[in-house]
Amino acid sequence: MFLMIGDRKCPYCGIDGEEWKKEPKLFKCPNCNAIFNHFGILIEGEKKDQHMA
C-alpha cells in the first residue's frame, strides 16, 4: 500500500511524522517508527503490540 497524503503523513499508517533530519528532510513516525520522506517509506517500522508476551 502506498499512501500519499502530505509531506508529514506516514505512508505506512497515516500518522503525522516528527522531523528526524533536516537535510535531507526525513520524518519518523511516532506510531510505527517508520522513517520516510515525501517520496514514501525508506525504512519500514513495526507497530508496537501490547499483546505480545
Side-chain angles (χ1 to χ4, degrees):
M1 179 172 90
F2 189 72
L3 181 64
M4 255 341 239
I5 297 173
D7 282 9
R8 298 184 62 94
K9 295 279 186 183
C10 175
Y12 188 64
C13 65
I15 302 293
D16 274 338
E18 300 169 350
E19 189 172 292
W20 190 55
K21 285 189 177 183
K22 290 187 185 273
E23 289 296 325
K25 194 161 209 161
L26 298 175
F27 299 96
K28 184 172 184 181
C29 179
N31 182 49
C32 68
N33 293 320
I35 297 172
F36 60 95
N37 63 11
H38 65 278
F39 292 115
I41 292 177
L42 300 178
I43 299 173
E44 188 171 320
E46 291 184 16
K47 291 186 180 180
K48 296 176 185 169
D49 190 0
Q50 296 176 351
H51 301 291
M52 294 181 71

